[in-house]
Every structure is written in C-alpha cells, then in structure tokens.
Amino acid sequence: MKLRKVSAAAATALVLALTATACGSDDGDSDSGSGSSGGDKIKIGIKYDQPGLGLKEPDGSFSGFDVDVATYVAKELGYKPDQIEFVETKSADRENALARGDVKFIAATYSINDERAKKVDFAGPYLLAHQDLLVKADSDITKGTDLNGKNLCSVTGSTSAQNVRDEIAPDANLKQLGGYSECISGLQAGSVDALTTDDSILAGFAAQEQYKGQFKLAGLKLSNENYGIGVKKGDTATVDKINAALEKMVSDGAWEKAVTDNFGPANYKNEPAPKIGNIVK
C-alpha cells in the first residue's frame, strides 16, 4: 500500500513538472501577442542597412522609423524592449520568412501590392512614401525632365531609375550601382547627378550626420508606396492587434515624433499618417 502511495505521488509530481515546463517554454515566437509570461520573446523582421528606417548600429543597437514603429507595436502587444529580437529580413525573403514563422511580423519598407497580398496579410499602412530624387543641396534639378542628359543612379535590380527614363526623362543616363551608399558617394563626388528610390529611404540617408546639409529631396511624387506591416497569411488576429496599436501610435503623437526624429534633418515633407486599415495598393 505504501509503495502505491509513493508511486502516485511521484506520478503527480511528474505531471506537475511537465506542465510547468510546457508553460515556461520559449520558442522565440509567441502567438499570444503578450509578453506577460516573462520568458516570451517576439521576433520582428526589419532591414539592417537603411539609415532612418532600419539600421543596425555599430554597437549592436537598432534605429530608424521602422524600428520605432515595430517597438511601439510590440509594446502594445505586451512586449518590453528587452523581449524584442530584431531579425534582418531582406526584401527577397520577406514572404518566406513569414511563411516559415521566422518572425511574427515585418516592418521593413514593405510596400503593399496585389502580388504580395496573395502571400501575406498586411496591417497598416503606416507610411505613404513616394518615389523621389535626392540631389545636391545646390542642384538646379527641380523636375523630372531636368534629368535629361544627367546621370541618374539607383541600385542594381531596382526599377526606379528605369521608370524615370521610360516615363519622364528618356535621355537620362542610368547608372546602377551595388547599393545606395555607392550612389551617395557618386553624388558627393559629382559622378552622378541624382539618386532615385522611395523618398523615405532618401530622407533617411540625407538625415545622417555625415551628410547633413549636403543633399535635398526634389519633392517629386513619382509613385505611391504604402508601407504595411507584413503578417503571416491568415493571421487576422495579429493584423487586428497591430492595426489597433498603429491607431494609438498616431493618436498619441508617437507616430509624428518618430517621423521628426528620423527624417527631420532632411526636411522630409512627409504625408499625414494614412488611414489605418485602408489598404490602398
């Protein structure tokens, strides 16, 4: 009889131990949207190489508008800053990263369009950007046709520069380089006359201390780019929570502060905060 009592107690203890272990497990990707259990973390996809938007600093910290938005959203989902793990998510791998569950959501200059919306769900939009030109501060380029006969830079594989030549300045000389930093260097040296991509990206570079006062945005609105937060397809609960967080960020002034902090030095003429949940492609 005594042996049976000991065995029952041991079995009870084992069940309790297993239950506690299961409750305390941390797979790095909580589906609950709440960090209240203490050990949970949330993985968020961002860019590591876009100043003003998503940048990994030399000391390992992160900065930029997308980082500020993601941090605010995570806070509203119940996570403290030390429970956030930022994961580099390159443009070509964003949909796969969400499908694999590598990250809970992605805030990485992720323009909403029909093709992407077939593969992922979007919260937002949280920023309306436009394709624009970055030129030297004393440049006389004020409109697209001024690029005829000038050197226009963009990164390899981008359609931005080609779009300008096809639709606005057929005699522009296209220069495609490996990265935006190379285009910036060319702009400094005078080997290129303008750099084109989203105005938010251009403003992020122009706002950097080492470039302060050297460049300006032309202020052209060559396209509409609605940045959304990407979520795994079918996860409507998370989309709803993120939309609520974005609405609060706009209403309490944190959104405008993030814009000013990250783009202000470039005199970025940002659009007002877009209507959250109005997915305009």
Side-chain angles (χ1 to χ4, degrees), residues 154-183:
S154 192
V155 298
T156 302
S158 169
T159 60
S160 299
Q162 188 64 50
N163 289 342
V164 170
R165 193 167 74 170
D166 288 347
E167 300 177 17
I168 300 170
D171 294 325
N173 304 312
L174 301 189
K175 298 193 72 170
Q176 292 189 319
L177 300 179
Y180 293 118
S181 294
E182 294 177 50
C183 287

Side-chain angles (χ1 to χ4, degrees), residues 9-196:
T12 300
L14 178 59
V15 169
L16 290 173
L18 289 173
T19 302
T21 302
C23 292
S25 65
D26 175 17
D27 62 3
D29 183 24
S30 171
D31 289 331
S32 67
S34 171
S36 60
S37 60
D40 292 339
K41 289 185 178 293
I42 185 170
K43 293 183 179 181
I44 303 173
I46 62 167
K47 295 290 183 65
Y48 274 19
D49 58 354
Q50 289 184 342
L53 286 154
L55 183 68
K56 185 174 184 178
E57 302 284 359
D59 65 359
S61 63
F62 298 92
S63 67
F65 181 71
D66 284 346
V67 172
D68 289 347
V69 169
T71 301
Y72 189 100
V73 168
K75 173 179 69 88
E76 292 303 305
L77 295 181
Y79 295 90
K80 298 176 182 178
D82 62 0
Q83 292 176 296
I84 299 172
E85 181 180 344
F86 287 117
V87 178
E88 183 175 23
T89 312
K90 297 183 181 296
S91 296
D93 195 45
R94 287 180 295 205
E95 288 82 22
N96 290 332
L98 288 170
R100 291 191 303 260
D102 295 347
V103 293
K104 187 67 173 177
F105 64 82
I106 293 175
T109 59
Y110 204 177
S111 294
I112 300 167
N113 62 39
D114 289 332
E115 192 61 32
R116 289 169 180 163
K118 294 176 183 177
K119 302 174 183 176
V120 304
D121 285 337
F122 283 102
Y126 63 92
L127 185 72
L128 173 58
H130 306 283
Q131 185 182 340
D132 199 358
L133 305 175
L134 188 69
V135 296
K136 280 191 171 181
D138 60 356
S139 174
D140 58 1
I141 296 175
T142 59
K143 56 186 183 297
T145 53
D146 291 339
L147 292 169
N148 283 313
K150 301 290 180 67
N151 294 324
L152 176 63
C153 190
S154 192
V155 298
T156 302
S158 169
T159 60
S160 299
Q162 188 64 50
N163 289 342
V164 170
R165 193 167 74 170
D166 288 347
E167 300 177 17
I168 300 170
D171 294 325
N173 304 312
L174 301 189
K175 298 193 72 170
Q176 292 189 319
L177 300 179
Y180 293 118
S181 294
E182 294 177 50
C183 287
I184 292 285
S185 296
L187 199 56
Q188 283 181 306
S191 59
V192 299
D193 300 294
L195 161 62
T196 186

